[in-house]
Amino acid sequence: GAVVSQHPSRVICKSGTSVKIECRSLDFQATTMFWYRQFPKQSLMLMATSNEGSKATYEQGVEKDKFLINHASLTLSTLTVTSAHPEDSSFYICSARTGSVGNTIYFGEGSWLTVV
Amino acid sequence: GEDVEQSLFLSVREGDSSVINCTYTDSSSTYLYWYKQEPGAGLQLLTYIFSNMDMKQDQRLTVLLNKKDKHLSLRIADTQTGDSAIYFCAESTSSYKLIFGSGTRLLVRP
């Protein structure tokens, strides 16, 4: 079946630095990818919609200059957390829409970010 | 706005059936999904149902949709200890964004 891969699965970075998380659709082309954030024991919160070849659409309250999203190809979207702070520590999950019948949406394995 | 609600916790005995319920508010939702999340992992797509269907069965999983009441349920037959996880229902908006419920933690007792 369709697979979405995220990398890295875990990353620790120092406060003030930037970190990039990749989301790849491995066996299908994804014109649209989504980035979510999940706090411990909570549900997923949509951060932004990533469209190939155009600017991402951010949800209300999400800082676009802090969470940079680039969807350069039909199989890759990246999320860069800039000038990270401890409160950015979270579980970040991407998803991709196949566009096939059912508009199946698959999720990556998630990336744990810890900012120290 | 859109809202999806789920009960927070369900405990069942191994071998019994589990029923996880979900209500949603957006009547224009086209697809409704069930995902499973194990500790520290991403979301695994279990099944989905198109809004013009009222039932979908896939092996041990049965999804029932009552569109009039905006109620969705997931029944897991012969629940196993490996089914212990958090189950999220989600509705798909017209822009394919998913609105998630709070998740139901399923605990399967031996």
Side-chain angles (χ1 to χ4, degrees):
Chain A
V3 177
V4 175
S5 176
Q6 275 186 247
H7 178 80
S9 57
R10 290 182 181 274
V11 57
I12 300 173
C13 71
K14 290 186 177 180
S15 189
T17 62
S18 296
V19 61
K20 180 186 288 186
I21 301 170
E22 294 185 346
C23 177
R24 294 182 184 273
S25 55
L26 296 184
D27 55 2
F28 64 96
Q29 292 184 329
T31 54
T32 307
M33 291 184 173
F34 304 88
W35 286 97
Y36 292 82
R37 183 174 180 176
Q38 186 180 30
F39 291 102
K41 298 186 179 181
Q42 294 190 29
S43 188
L44 284 77
M45 180 192 78
L46 178 65
M47 298 174 66
T49 303
S50 170
N51 299 296
E52 188 268 335
S54 64
K55 290 183 179 180
T57 304
Y58 290 82
E59 295 300 299
Q60 194 171 6
V62 178
E63 299 176 60
K64 60 180 68 176
D65 294 331
K66 179 165 188 61
F67 299 100
L68 300 179
I69 291 172
N70 186 0
H71 194 155
S73 76
L74 286 171
T75 59
L76 174 63
S77 175
T78 61
L79 167 68
T80 301
V81 182
T82 63
S83 186
H85 287 97
E87 57 264 31
D88 298 325
S89 299
S90 189
F91 190 51
Y92 293 88
I93 313 178
C94 71
S95 68
R97 184 173 73 92
T98 64
S100 62
V101 173
N103 282 305
T104 315
I105 299 175
Y106 292 96
F107 280 79
E109 310 96 326
S111 300
W112 284 101
L113 170 63
T114 302
V115 184
V116 297
Chain B
E2 306 104 346
D3 191 25
V4 179
E5 294 191 357
Q6 297 178 241
S7 53
L8 292 180
F9 184 74
L10 176 66
S11 177
V12 300
R13 196 168 292 177
E14 189 175 16
D16 288 349
S17 293
S18 307
V19 179
I20 303 172
N21 295 300
C22 171
T23 57
Y24 61 98
T25 57
D26 188 359
S27 58
S28 65
S29 294
T30 50
Y31 291 94
L32 295 128
Y33 301 82
W34 283 103
Y35 288 90
K36 176 183 179 182
Q37 185 178 38
E38 300 193 38
L43 272 71
Q44 174 192 352
L45 175 64
L46 291 177
T47 187
Y48 63 89
I49 188 167
F50 188 46
S51 59
N52 70 352
M53 297 169 64
D54 51 20
M55 189 184 92
K56 181 178 181 181
Q57 187 156 2
D58 183 2
Q59 298 181 339
R60 292 192 297 125
L61 305 179
T62 303
V63 178
L64 295 178
L65 174 61
N66 181 328
K67 196 172 182 181
K68 174 176 170 290
D69 294 338
K70 300 190 185 70
H71 182 267
L72 181 74
S73 68
L74 173 70
R75 178 177 180 270
I76 305 173
D78 187 26
T79 314
Q80 303 297 306
T81 54
D83 295 324
S84 293
I86 299 176
Y87 291 80
F88 290 96
C89 71
E91 61 174 346
S92 174
T93 70
S94 57
S95 56
Y96 306 109
K97 296 186 292 188
L98 293 185
I99 307 298
F100 283 88
S102 54
T104 299
R105 183 178 297 272
L106 174 64
L107 174 65
V108 182
R109 310 185 306 274

